Amino acid sequence: MDTNDIIVKNREDFDIRQTLDCGQIFRYSLVGENVYEVLSLDKRCVVEQGESVVIKSDDPAYWHRFFDLDNDYGAIKRALADKPMMRESIDSGGGIRILNQDPFEMLISFIVSANNHIPRIKGILARICEGLGEKKDGYFAFPTAEAMAAKDADYYAALGAGYRAPYLSETARAVADGFDLENPRYMSGDEANRYLCTLKGVGPKVADCILLFAYHKSDVFPVDTWIKKVYRDMTGKDGTGKEIRKYLVSVYGDLSGYAQQYLFFGKRENN
C-alpha cells in the first residue's frame, strides 16, 4: 500500500487483462497501453500493469477486497494442478482472480448477459447506469434497485435490453420490495442457486455466475458454450447443463469456481 495506490509486485497471480476478460465483469475499459478503468457500484479505479500492477483509486480498501488480494491464488493453483485439464488451463490464465462484486450489480449484469455478447452487454449496462445511476466525476454509478424498479419494461426495451426488459423491471422491483440478496451468503451453492432462480430472468447458469462473482461461492460451475466444449474434450460426450455442472463439481470439488474460470479462459484463448 502506498497512500491511495495498491502495488502488486508478484505478477504470477495477478494479470489484469485475464481477470477482466474472463466473463465476470462488464464495466471496464482499456484506456491506455496495459491501463484499464474499472467501475463497481459508485467507485472507480485505474489499473496499470507493467512489472508490477498498480491500482489507483480514492478507496484502496474497497479495491483491495474487490480484487481478492487476501486470497492465496498460488495455493489454489497448486491444489488444482493435478486435476484434469488444469495444468494447460492455468498456463493460459494463471493470472485470473475472482472478483468480489456487488450482488445486485451482478444480478442485473447477468440477466443482461443471457444469450448476449460482451460489447452489447457493456452497452446496455452503460445506458442503464447513465439513465438511472448517480453522476460522478466522469462516470455514472450503478443504480439502486429502487431506481431501477421505478422504470417499466418499456424503458429497458428502449435501452436495447430486448426480451430481458421485463426481467429487469420485475427483478429490480422484487429486490426493492424485500427479496434478500444477503441470504445466499449463508446457503450452499445448490440451495443458493435455487433461491436466485425464483427471480425473473435468472436460470441455473445465470445464478451460478452471480454466486461465483458476487458471493465467491466456489462450489458452483457456470456452464456456457466453452465449458460444454471442455466437458466434451474431457468425457468424449455431450451433456445437458445440469449433467455437466454436476460432473464438473464432482471432479473439482470446493475449488470448482476457480477451476471454471481457468478452464473457460484457457479454452476460449486456445480457440
Side-chain angles (χ1 to χ4, degrees):
M1 306 293 290
D2 180 13
T3 61
N4 283 344
D5 294 350
I6 302 170
I7 301 170
V8 183
K9 295 182 178 179
N10 179 7
R11 282 278 315 282
E12 184 177 348
D13 298 331
F14 193 137
D15 185 293
I16 189 60
R17 183 191 74 83
Q18 292 175 3
T19 297
L20 298 178
D21 196 28
C22 63
Q24 61 177 319
I25 184 172
F26 306 106
R27 296 179 66 216
Y28 71 91
S29 56
L30 183 66
V31 296
E33 186 175 357
N34 294 320
V35 181
Y36 291 84
E37 178 186 72
V38 184
L39 304 176
S40 175
L41 289 179
D42 60 348
K43 304 182 189 303
R44 174 174 62 180
C45 74
V46 173
V47 185
E48 301 178 4
Q49 183 159 287
E51 291 185 5
S52 299
V53 180
V54 181
I55 304 165
K56 297 177 176 292
S57 76
D58 293 330
D59 192 345
Y62 180 87
W63 295 103
H64 188 282
R65 180 180 181 277
F66 183 88
F67 286 110
D68 205 30
L69 294 180
D70 283 332
N71 205 349
D72 184 352
Y73 279 72
I76 291 167
K77 288 183 285 188
R78 288 191 294 274
L80 284 170
D82 291 331
K83 299 285 188 180
M85 299 182 67
M86 273 290 102
R87 289 188 184 275
E88 56 268 40
S89 298
I90 289 171
D91 285 345
S92 295
I96 292 171
R97 304 185 78 83
I98 296 180
L99 306 175
N100 287 298
Q101 301 184 76
D102 175 71
F104 181 68
E105 184 168 345
M106 290 297 92
L107 173 62
I108 296 302
S109 296
F110 280 95
I111 288 174
V112 170
S113 78
N115 300 310
N116 215 341
H117 56 82
I118 287 178
R120 192 161 180 265
I121 298 165
K122 294 177 77 168
I124 294 168
L125 292 174
R127 291 189 288 275
I128 289 173
C129 292
E130 184 174 352
L132 299 173
E134 180 185 355
K135 188 173 183 358
K136 309 298 282 186
D137 183 15
Y139 66 101
F140 291 90
F142 200 85
T144 63
E146 291 75 16
M148 289 194 65
K151 299 297 184 181
D152 62 14
D154 290 343
Y155 178 85
Y156 297 108
L159 299 183
Y163 74 87
R164 308 163 197 83
Y167 302 156
L168 295 174
S169 59
E170 291 181 41
T171 292
R173 193 171 304 118
V175 175
D177 288 346
F179 185 92
D180 193 348
L181 287 176
E182 286 300 299
N183 281 346
R185 297 192 191 280
Y186 312 107
M187 299 174 175
S188 70
D190 286 343
E191 185 182 9
N193 187 291
R194 291 192 294 271
Y195 179 74
L196 291 178
C197 283
T198 64
L199 293 167
K200 295 289 187 182
V202 179
K205 185 258 185 179
V206 165
D208 268 358
C209 288
I210 297 165
L211 292 171
L212 182 56
F213 305 135
Y215 300 94
H216 234 81
K217 295 282 186 185
S218 59
D219 59 341
V220 301
F221 215 107
V223 175
D224 71 340
T225 55
W226 294 110
I227 295 301
K228 288 178 180 178
K229 293 177 189 291
V230 167
Y231 177 78
R232 191 180 305 124
D233 291 345
M234 193 179 295
T235 67
K237 61 184 181 181
D238 295 317
T240 66
K242 184 177 181 179
E243 290 168 342
I244 294 170
R245 180 189 192 273
K246 182 178 179 180
Y247 175 80
L248 293 175
V249 169
S250 75
V251 172
Y252 298 105
D254 289 341
L255 296 178
S256 290
Y258 300 100
Q260 191 272 351
Q261 285 289 273
Y262 296 133
L263 289 165
F264 167 85
F265 187 84
K267 186 64 176 174
R268 192 189 62 185
E269 287 284 288
N270 292 328
N271 276 264

Short mmCIF file of all heavy atoms in Angstrom, two decimals, residues 72-107:
data_model
loop_
_atom_site.label_atom_id
_atom_site.label_comp_id
_atom_site.label_asym_id
_atom_site.label_seq_id
_atom_site.Cartn_x
_atom_site.Cartn_y
_atom_site.Cartn_z
N ASP A 72 -4.80 -16.48 -1.44
CA ASP A 72 -3.55 -17.02 -2.00
C ASP A 72 -3.86 -17.87 -3.23
O ASP A 72 -4.18 -19.05 -3.12
CB ASP A 72 -2.84 -17.85 -0.93
CG ASP A 72 -1.48 -18.37 -1.39
OD1 ASP A 72 -1.15 -18.21 -2.59
OD2 ASP A 72 -0.75 -18.93 -0.55
N TYR A 73 -3.77 -17.24 -4.40
CA TYR A 73 -4.09 -17.95 -5.65
C TYR A 73 -2.98 -18.95 -6.02
O TYR A 73 -3.25 -19.90 -6.75
CB TYR A 73 -4.36 -16.96 -6.77
CG TYR A 73 -5.77 -16.42 -6.70
CD1 TYR A 73 -6.14 -15.51 -5.71
CD2 TYR A 73 -6.75 -16.84 -7.59
CE1 TYR A 73 -7.43 -15.03 -5.61
CE2 TYR A 73 -8.05 -16.37 -7.50
CZ TYR A 73 -8.38 -15.47 -6.51
OH TYR A 73 -9.67 -15.01 -6.41
N GLY A 74 -1.79 -18.74 -5.54
CA GLY A 74 -0.75 -19.73 -5.76
C GLY A 74 -1.12 -21.05 -5.12
O GLY A 74 -0.96 -22.12 -5.72
N ALA A 75 -1.65 -21.01 -3.90
CA ALA A 75 -2.08 -22.22 -3.20
C ALA A 75 -3.25 -22.88 -3.92
O ALA A 75 -3.33 -24.11 -4.02
CB ALA A 75 -2.45 -21.89 -1.76
N ILE A 76 -4.18 -22.05 -4.43
CA ILE A 76 -5.33 -22.59 -5.16
C ILE A 76 -4.86 -23.33 -6.42
O ILE A 76 -5.31 -24.45 -6.71
CB ILE A 76 -6.30 -21.45 -5.53
CG1 ILE A 76 -6.98 -20.91 -4.26
CG2 ILE A 76 -7.36 -21.93 -6.54
CD1 ILE A 76 -7.69 -19.59 -4.48
N LYS A 77 -3.94 -22.72 -7.14
CA LYS A 77 -3.46 -23.35 -8.37
C LYS A 77 -2.68 -24.63 -8.08
O LYS A 77 -2.78 -25.61 -8.84
CB LYS A 77 -2.61 -22.34 -9.17
CG LYS A 77 -3.45 -21.24 -9.80
CD LYS A 77 -2.65 -20.29 -10.66
CE LYS A 77 -1.84 -19.34 -9.83
NZ LYS A 77 -1.19 -18.28 -10.66
N ARG A 78 -1.94 -24.63 -7.00
CA ARG A 78 -1.21 -25.86 -6.64
C ARG A 78 -2.20 -26.96 -6.27
O ARG A 78 -1.98 -28.14 -6.61
CB ARG A 78 -0.26 -25.58 -5.48
CG ARG A 78 0.96 -24.75 -5.88
CD ARG A 78 2.01 -24.73 -4.78
NE ARG A 78 1.55 -24.03 -3.57
CZ ARG A 78 1.65 -22.72 -3.38
NH1 ARG A 78 2.18 -21.95 -4.34
NH2 ARG A 78 1.24 -22.18 -2.25
N ALA A 79 -3.28 -26.62 -5.60
CA ALA A 79 -4.28 -27.62 -5.22
C ALA A 79 -5.01 -28.18 -6.43
O ALA A 79 -5.47 -29.33 -6.41
CB ALA A 79 -5.28 -27.01 -4.24
N LEU A 80 -5.13 -27.38 -7.49
CA LEU A 80 -5.83 -27.81 -8.69
C LEU A 80 -4.92 -28.47 -9.73
O LEU A 80 -5.41 -29.11 -10.66
CB LEU A 80 -6.51 -26.60 -9.36
CG LEU A 80 -7.78 -26.07 -8.71
CD1 LEU A 80 -8.18 -24.73 -9.35
CD2 LEU A 80 -8.93 -27.07 -8.86
N ALA A 81 -3.63 -28.33 -9.57
CA ALA A 81 -2.69 -28.64 -10.65
C ALA A 81 -2.82 -30.06 -11.18
O ALA A 81 -2.63 -30.30 -12.39
CB ALA A 81 -1.26 -28.38 -10.18
N ASP A 82 -3.14 -31.02 -10.35
CA ASP A 82 -3.20 -32.41 -10.78
C ASP A 82 -4.59 -32.84 -11.23
O ASP A 82 -4.79 -34.01 -11.59
CB ASP A 82 -2.71 -33.33 -9.66
CG ASP A 82 -1.21 -33.17 -9.41
OD1 ASP A 82 -0.49 -32.81 -10.36
OD2 ASP A 82 -0.78 -33.37 -8.26
N LYS A 83 -5.53 -31.92 -11.23
CA LYS A 83 -6.88 -32.23 -11.70
C LYS A 83 -6.91 -32.20 -13.23
O LYS A 83 -6.06 -31.58 -13.88
CB LYS A 83 -7.87 -31.20 -11.15
CG LYS A 83 -7.97 -31.16 -9.63
CD LYS A 83 -8.74 -32.35 -9.09
CE LYS A 83 -9.00 -32.20 -7.60
NZ LYS A 83 -9.76 -33.34 -7.05
N PRO A 84 -7.90 -32.87 -13.85
CA PRO A 84 -7.95 -32.94 -15.32
C PRO A 84 -7.95 -31.57 -15.99
O PRO A 84 -8.69 -30.66 -15.58
CB PRO A 84 -9.28 -33.67 -15.58
CG PRO A 84 -9.52 -34.48 -14.35
CD PRO A 84 -8.98 -33.66 -13.21
N MET A 85 -7.11 -31.42 -17.00
CA MET A 85 -7.04 -30.25 -17.88
C MET A 85 -6.60 -28.98 -17.17
O MET A 85 -6.66 -27.89 -17.74
CB MET A 85 -8.38 -30.02 -18.59
CG MET A 85 -8.82 -31.17 -19.47
SD MET A 85 -10.37 -30.89 -20.34
CE MET A 85 -9.89 -29.57 -21.48
N MET A 86 -6.13 -29.09 -15.94
CA MET A 86 -5.81 -27.89 -15.19
C MET A 86 -4.46 -27.28 -15.54
O MET A 86 -4.34 -26.06 -15.62
CB MET A 86 -5.87 -28.18 -13.69
CG MET A 86 -7.22 -28.03 -13.07
SD MET A 86 -7.79 -26.29 -12.98
CE MET A 86 -8.91 -26.26 -14.35
N ARG A 87 -3.45 -28.11 -15.74
CA ARG A 87 -2.12 -27.54 -15.96
C ARG A 87 -2.10 -26.62 -17.17
O ARG A 87 -1.60 -25.50 -17.12
CB ARG A 87 -1.08 -28.65 -16.10
CG ARG A 87 -0.79 -29.37 -14.79
CD ARG A 87 0.38 -30.33 -14.90
NE ARG A 87 0.57 -31.07 -13.66
CZ ARG A 87 1.25 -30.63 -12.62
NH1 ARG A 87 1.82 -29.45 -12.69
NH2 ARG A 87 1.39 -31.37 -11.53
N GLU A 88 -2.68 -27.07 -18.30
CA GLU A 88 -2.68 -26.24 -19.50
C GLU A 88 -3.58 -25.02 -19.33
O GLU A 88 -3.29 -23.94 -19.85
CB GLU A 88 -3.09 -27.05 -20.73
CG GLU A 88 -4.45 -27.75 -20.63
CD GLU A 88 -4.38 -29.16 -20.09
OE1 GLU A 88 -3.61 -29.41 -19.15
OE2 GLU A 88 -5.13 -30.02 -20.61
N SER A 89 -4.68 -25.17 -18.59
CA SER A 89 -5.58 -24.04 -18.37
C SER A 89 -4.93 -22.98 -17.49
O SER A 89 -5.05 -21.78 -17.74
CB SER A 89 -6.89 -24.52 -17.73
OG SER A 89 -7.56 -25.42 -18.58
N ILE A 90 -4.23 -23.42 -16.46
CA ILE A 90 -3.54 -22.49 -15.58
C ILE A 90 -2.39 -21.81 -16.33
O ILE A 90 -2.11 -20.62 -16.12
CB ILE A 90 -3.05 -23.21 -14.31
CG1 ILE A 90 -4.25 -23.54 -13.42
CG2 ILE A 90 -2.04 -22.36 -13.54
CD1 ILE A 90 -3.93 -24.45 -12.24
N ASP A 91 -1.73 -22.53 -17.22
CA ASP A 91 -0.69 -21.91 -18.05
C ASP A 91 -1.27 -20.76 -18.88
O ASP A 91 -0.60 -19.75 -19.11
CB ASP A 91 -0.06 -22.94 -18.98
CG ASP A 91 0.89 -23.88 -18.26
OD1 ASP A 91 1.29 -23.57 -17.12
OD2 ASP A 91 1.22 -24.94 -18.84
N SER A 92 -2.52 -20.91 -19.33
CA SER A 92 -3.15 -19.87 -20.16
C SER A 92 -3.69 -18.72 -19.33
O SER A 92 -3.61 -17.56 -19.76
CB SER A 92 -4.31 -20.48 -20.96
OG SER A 92 -3.85 -21.42 -21.89
N GLY A 93 -4.26 -19.00 -18.17
CA GLY A 93 -4.95 -17.96 -17.41
C GLY A 93 -4.60 -17.93 -15.95
O GLY A 93 -5.45 -17.62 -15.10
N GLY A 94 -3.34 -18.17 -15.62
CA GLY A 94 -2.93 -18.25 -14.22
C GLY A 94 -2.97 -16.94 -13.47
O GLY A 94 -2.81 -16.92 -12.25
N GLY A 95 -3.19 -15.83 -14.19
CA GLY A 95 -3.27 -14.52 -13.52
C GLY A 95 -4.68 -14.10 -13.18
O GLY A 95 -4.90 -12.99 -12.70
N ILE A 96 -5.66 -14.98 -13.42
CA ILE A 96 -7.06 -14.65 -13.13
C ILE A 96 -7.29 -14.62 -11.62
O ILE A 96 -6.81 -15.48 -10.88
CB ILE A 96 -8.01 -15.70 -13.76
CG1 ILE A 96 -7.99 -15.59 -15.29
CG2 ILE A 96 -9.44 -15.54 -13.24
CD1 ILE A 96 -8.73 -16.72 -15.98
N ARG A 97 -8.03 -13.62 -11.18
CA ARG A 97 -8.53 -13.55 -9.81
C ARG A 97 -10.05 -13.43 -9.88
O ARG A 97 -10.58 -12.72 -10.75
CB ARG A 97 -7.95 -12.36 -9.05
CG ARG A 97 -6.43 -12.35 -9.03
CD ARG A 97 -5.89 -11.24 -8.17
NE ARG A 97 -5.96 -11.57 -6.75
CZ ARG A 97 -5.07 -12.31 -6.10
NH1 ARG A 97 -4.02 -12.81 -6.74
NH2 ARG A 97 -5.20 -12.56 -4.81
N ILE A 98 -10.76 -14.10 -8.99
CA ILE A 98 -12.22 -13.98 -8.95
C ILE A 98 -12.57 -12.77 -8.10
O ILE A 98 -12.17 -12.67 -6.94
CB ILE A 98 -12.86 -15.27 -8.41
CG1 ILE A 98 -12.58 -16.43 -9.38
CG2 ILE A 98 -14.37 -15.08 -8.23
CD1 ILE A 98 -13.15 -17.74 -8.96
N LEU A 99 -13.30 -11.85 -8.69
CA LEU A 99 -13.60 -10.58 -8.06
C LEU A 99 -14.73 -10.70 -7.03
O LEU A 99 -15.60 -11.55 -7.15
CB LEU A 99 -14.00 -9.56 -9.14
CG LEU A 99 -12.99 -9.38 -10.27
CD1 LEU A 99 -13.54 -8.45 -11.34
CD2 LEU A 99 -11.66 -8.85 -9.73
N ASN A 100 -14.69 -9.82 -6.03
CA ASN A 100 -15.76 -9.72 -5.04
C ASN A 100 -16.66 -8.55 -5.44
O ASN A 100 -16.37 -7.39 -5.11
CB ASN A 100 -15.17 -9.50 -3.65
CG ASN A 100 -14.52 -10.74 -3.10
OD1 ASN A 100 -15.17 -11.76 -2.90
ND2 ASN A 100 -13.21 -10.69 -2.87
N GLN A 101 -17.74 -8.85 -6.14
CA GLN A 101 -18.59 -7.80 -6.69
C GLN A 101 -19.93 -7.72 -5.95
O GLN A 101 -20.29 -8.59 -5.17
CB GLN A 101 -18.80 -8.06 -8.18
CG GLN A 101 -17.49 -8.10 -8.96
CD GLN A 101 -17.69 -8.24 -10.44
OE1 GLN A 101 -18.05 -7.30 -11.14
NE2 GLN A 101 -17.47 -9.44 -10.94
N ASP A 102 -20.66 -6.65 -6.22
CA ASP A 102 -21.92 -6.41 -5.53
C ASP A 102 -23.02 -7.33 -6.05
O ASP A 102 -23.19 -7.47 -7.26
CB ASP A 102 -22.34 -4.94 -5.75
CG ASP A 102 -23.69 -4.66 -5.16
OD1 ASP A 102 -23.80 -4.62 -3.93
OD2 ASP A 102 -24.66 -4.52 -5.94
N PRO A 103 -23.80 -7.97 -5.17
CA PRO A 103 -24.83 -8.90 -5.61
C PRO A 103 -25.87 -8.30 -6.54
O PRO A 103 -26.23 -8.93 -7.55
CB PRO A 103 -25.46 -9.39 -4.31
CG PRO A 103 -24.36 -9.28 -3.31
CD PRO A 103 -23.61 -8.03 -3.70
N PHE A 104 -26.36 -7.10 -6.26
CA PHE A 104 -27.39 -6.53 -7.14
C PHE A 104 -26.80 -6.18 -8.51
O PHE A 104 -27.43 -6.43 -9.54
CB PHE A 104 -28.04 -5.30 -6.51
CG PHE A 104 -29.12 -4.70 -7.38
CD1 PHE A 104 -30.31 -5.39 -7.60
CD2 PHE A 104 -28.95 -3.47 -8.01
CE1 PHE A 104 -31.31 -4.86 -8.41
CE2 PHE A 104 -29.94 -2.94 -8.82
CZ PHE A 104 -31.12 -3.64 -9.02
N GLU A 105 -25.60 -5.63 -8.52
CA GLU A 105 -24.97 -5.32 -9.81
C GLU A 105 -24.74 -6.59 -10.62
O GLU A 105 -24.96 -6.61 -11.84
CB GLU A 105 -23.64 -4.59 -9.58
CG GLU A 105 -22.97 -4.16 -10.87
CD GLU A 105 -21.82 -3.20 -10.69
OE1 GLU A 105 -21.67 -2.63 -9.59
OE2 GLU A 105 -21.05 -3.03 -11.66
N MET A 106 -24.35 -7.68 -9.96
CA MET A 106 -24.16 -8.94 -10.67
C MET A 106 -25.50 -9.53 -11.13
O MET A 106 -25.59 -10.09 -12.23
CB MET A 106 -23.43 -9.94 -9.78
CG MET A 106 -21.97 -9.61 -9.53
SD MET A 106 -20.95 -9.61 -11.04
CE MET A 106 -21.05 -7.87 -11.52
N LEU A 107 -26.52 -9.41 -10.31
CA LEU A 107 -27.84 -9.90 -10.69
C LEU A 107 -28.31 -9.25 -11.98
O LEU A 107 -28.70 -9.93 -12.94
CB LEU A 107 -28.83 -9.61 -9.55
CG LEU A 107 -30.31 -9.89 -9.81
CD1 LEU A 107 -30.55 -11.36 -10.09
CD2 LEU A 107 -31.13 -9.42 -8.60
#
